[in-house]
Amino acid sequence: MRRASSLLGLDPAIERELDSKYAVVKEVADNIASIEAVAAGDLAALTVALNEAKDFTGITVVNGTPAAWDAQNKVLTVPTVKGDTGLTGPIGLTGLTGLTGLTGPAGQQGVGGAKGDTGLAGAAGADGLTPQVAITYDDITGNLEYEVTYT
C-alpha cells in the first residue's frame, strides 16, 4: 500500500511489511463478530475448559452443527460440507519394460536307460493258397473261358 510519490524510492522490503500488516488488519475486521463473541464470554470458564481439554488420550470428531466441544467425553463436533466428486484424471503413461533377468545354469542331461531284451518270435502262420487261373478258348462258340483253382 503506497500513498505518496515520496514512497516510490523505498525499499521493496518495507512495502512487503506494510502489505502483510494490512492483511492482518483486514482479517481481524472480517472476523470482528467472532472476536466480540469470545470477548463477551466467560474467560475463566473458557480457561478451565481448555485446561481440561489438554489432558486427553484421544478425541472423536463427529459431523454436526453447530461446532461444539464436549470436554467430558472428548468429542469435537464440527460442521462439514461434503464436496462434489472430482473428475477422474487421465491414465498415466505405461512405464518402461524392465530388464530381462539372468538365465540360470542348464541342468545335467539324464542317463539313458538300458536297452531291453529282444522279444520272442511269433508263431508261424498257415501258408495261404495261391490261385491258379486256366484260360481256354472255345472254337465253336468263340467264347473265352477261365477256371480258377487254389493250390
Side-chain angles (χ1 to χ4, degrees):
M1 169 181 198
R2 295 188 210 180
R3 285 210 53 208
S5 62
S6 62
L7 292 177
L8 291 176
L10 290 178
D11 185 2
I14 295 173
E15 182 179 337
R16 279 194 305 273
E17 185 176 328
L18 288 175
D19 284 344
S20 66
K21 288 181 181 179
Y22 173 77
V24 171
V25 171
K26 177 79 170 120
E27 185 73 23
V28 169
D30 290 344
N31 294 294
I32 195 70
S34 298
I35 294 169
E36 288 174 346
V38 170
D42 185 0
L43 294 180
L46 179 62
T47 303
V48 170
L50 288 174
N51 286 331
E52 288 176 4
K54 288 191 301 185
D55 182 28
F56 65 88
T57 56
I59 187 170
T60 303
V61 179
V62 296
N63 294 337
T65 196
W69 168 247
D70 179 1
Q72 180 76 23
N73 299 316
K74 308 293 190 246
V75 176
L76 175 64
T77 304
V78 294
T80 59
V81 176
K82 183 178 182 304
D84 293 334
T85 301
L87 299 174
T88 301
I91 294 175
L93 300 174
T94 300
L96 300 174
T97 301
L99 300 174
T100 301
L102 299 174
T103 301
Q108 294 180 350
Q109 184 171 351
V111 178
K115 185 175 181 180
D117 294 334
T118 302
L120 300 174
D127 287 336
L129 300 176
T130 304
Q132 300 293 323
V133 179
I135 298 175
T136 58
Y137 178 72
D138 186 353
D139 287 336
I140 301 171
T141 62
N143 290 332
L144 186 62
E145 297 175 0
Y146 68 94
E147 182 181 353
V148 179
T149 57
Y150 295 94
T151 59

